[in-house]
Amino acid sequence: MLHWQKRILVTGGAGFLGSHLCERLAAEENDVICLDNFFTGSKRNVAHLLDKPNFELLRHDLVQPILLEVDEIYNLACPASPVHYQYNPVKTVKTSVMGAINMLGLAKRVKAKILQASTSEVYGDPREHPQREAYWGHVNPIGRRACYDEGKRCAETLFFDYHRQNGVNIRVARIFNTYGPRMHPNDGRVVSNFIMQALNGKPITLYGDGLQTRSFCFVDDLIEGLMRLMAAPDDFTGPVNLGNPDEFSIKELAERIVRLTGSSSMFVHEPLPSDDPLQRRPDIRLAMERLDWRPGTPLEDGLGKTIRYFRGIL
């Protein structure tokens, strides 16, 4: 008889990060339930898993409760790019807050371990650089990005309150910019934007002077970090930063993508969007110390794989 190690629920499992996580968990012979409402996720991202006996796909919106028997929950469901989370900001807040309540309620009931995919956006436009987990952030609670930033901050609050009040076994990961194959081509994120513009020979849009900085973590490294956090001792709840501490200016990223794609695209400058952080870089000492984790994929290698994926879907 087949024996699966664990029953694991991945919410947002047909999304960019979720599909890579489902793939890894299924490959390790866990019984994986992928839950998604396909607002930004795509069935195509998990199509190659559908014939696996230990993989199940459910169409469900996390704003509604669901009854399942599981050992672990990875709560990844939420649109994560400005284009998508600002499209329906009320829905974004509901997904973060009511989704967290529903999943924490499930974890409490079935005594499952639960991991929240939080975000570096909880730091807002940071006054501290690089950002440590102890930093409380600098967020505009009524800005256009607040539906995502404050939704994720509230979800963290709920996780720690369920942990303190009900003894729920939680993990909180603060995910910094991540890129790789299966990113949504129209998600408005800088890596996918630049690659699509370069491959289509369109002008590359730089906001402001392009000197604002970001740190880019390849998806395989990030998934490894999430799995290590879930497997960590129960006294380690996080929050813990997961991201790549190597910092690049947006202009530098654009120049690399133009070179790697062999594109003739020129740069055009647009005004900086409101509340767009000027610097973003994780301090990952806690992840290195407690999870023995650090990203290992150089930017050039990761960009090469991502460009090949986008060429394939074009």
Side-chain angles (χ1 to χ4, degrees):
M1 194 175 108
L2 288 173
H3 172 67
W4 309 123
Q5 290 174 294
K6 296 187 200 102
R7 281 175 66 77
I8 302 176
L9 172 63
V10 180
T11 75
F16 162 48
L17 292 181
S19 62
H20 285 275
L21 179 60
C22 286
E23 194 170 61
R24 270 290 300 275
L25 293 170
E28 294 186 4
E29 299 204 328
N30 298 290
D31 203 358
V32 179
I33 302 170
C34 166
L35 185 149
D36 209 295
N37 70 347
F38 302 113
F39 173 57
T40 56
S42 163
K43 213 174 276 189
R44 189 178 62 222
N45 288 340
V46 291
H48 62 297
L49 300 174
L50 290 173
D51 58 354
K52 281 183 167 287
N54 60 326
F55 179 80
E56 191 179 345
L57 177 61
L58 295 181
R59 181 190 287 267
H60 181 83
D61 192 319
L62 212 59
V63 171
Q64 307 300 327
I66 189 166
L67 297 173
L68 295 164
E69 294 291 327
V70 292
D71 304 305
E72 293 179 355
I73 302 166
Y74 287 85
N75 187 35
L76 272 59
C78 189
S81 72
V83 171
H84 291 141
Y85 66 63
Q86 289 170 6
Y87 171 75
N88 188 340
V90 173
K91 179 73 171 176
T92 298
V93 176
K94 281 183 172 178
T95 303
S96 282
V97 177
M98 293 163 75
I101 290 169
N102 287 333
M103 286 302 103
L104 285 160
L106 175 64
K108 177 186 165 188
R109 205 161 46 245
V110 302
K111 297 186 167 39
K113 242 194 293 193
I114 181 166
L115 181 148
Q116 167 68 358
S118 191
T119 169
S120 60
E121 299 292 345
V122 299
Y123 299 124
D125 188 3
R127 299 283 172 91
E128 174 183 288
H129 193 74
Q131 293 81 55
R132 294 170 305 145
E133 290 86 355
Y135 176 55
W136 289 355
H138 175 237
V139 173
N140 174 4
I142 58 170
R144 290 182 62 81
R145 300 169 74 101
C147 58
Y148 184 68
D149 303 2
E150 295 290 27
K152 288 288 194 179
R153 283 163 72 96
C154 186
E156 286 197 14
T157 303
L158 284 160
F159 265 68
F160 279 90
D161 284 338
Y162 265 80
H163 174 63
R164 286 185 286 253
Q165 187 176 324
N166 301 308
V168 173
N169 188 343
I170 65 162
R171 310 278 191 275
V172 175
R174 289 181 179 161
I175 297 170
F176 282 69
N177 287 54
T178 305
Y179 71 98
R182 296 189 211 137
M183 288 183 89
H184 197 293
N186 305 318
D187 68 3
R189 285 192 251 197
V190 65
V191 173
S192 46
N193 259 10
F194 288 173
I195 292 175
M196 290 298 284
Q197 288 170 337
L199 291 177
N200 287 313
K202 292 182 174 168
I204 291 191
T205 315
L206 294 176
Y207 293 100
D209 55 13
L211 298 181
Q212 62 273 42
T213 65
R214 293 291 184 273
S215 310
F216 301 99
C217 183
F218 189 62
V219 61
D220 293 356
D221 293 332
L222 192 277
I223 297 304
E224 177 65 30
L226 291 177
M227 290 174 65
R228 286 188 186 208
L229 177 57
M230 185 64 99
D234 290 348
D235 66 342
F236 187 56
T237 58
V240 60
N241 290 336
L242 294 179
N244 195 321
D246 296 340
E247 194 174 8
F248 298 91
S249 78
I250 298 296
K251 187 163 184 276
E252 213 176 326
L253 174 75
E255 288 165 351
R256 286 193 184 211
I257 287 172
V258 165
R259 181 165 52 76
L260 289 168
T261 53
S263 173
S264 56
S265 294
M266 309 296 286
F267 296 154
V268 292
H269 291 265
E270 300 270 348
L272 206 58
S274 66
D275 301 325
D276 196 38
L278 293 177
Q279 293 179 306
R280 199 41 80 63
R281 178 184 165 214
D283 180 325
I284 61 163
R285 283 176 294 183
L286 186 62
M288 288 165 67
E289 181 189 317
R290 294 300 304 265
L291 306 176
D292 189 26
W293 176 87
R294 70 167 304 140
T297 308
L299 186 63
E300 299 269 316
D301 295 1
L303 286 176
K305 290 176 182 172
T306 312
I307 289 163
R308 280 196 294 282
Y309 169 77
F310 279 109
R311 278 196 208 279
I313 62 171
L314 280 174

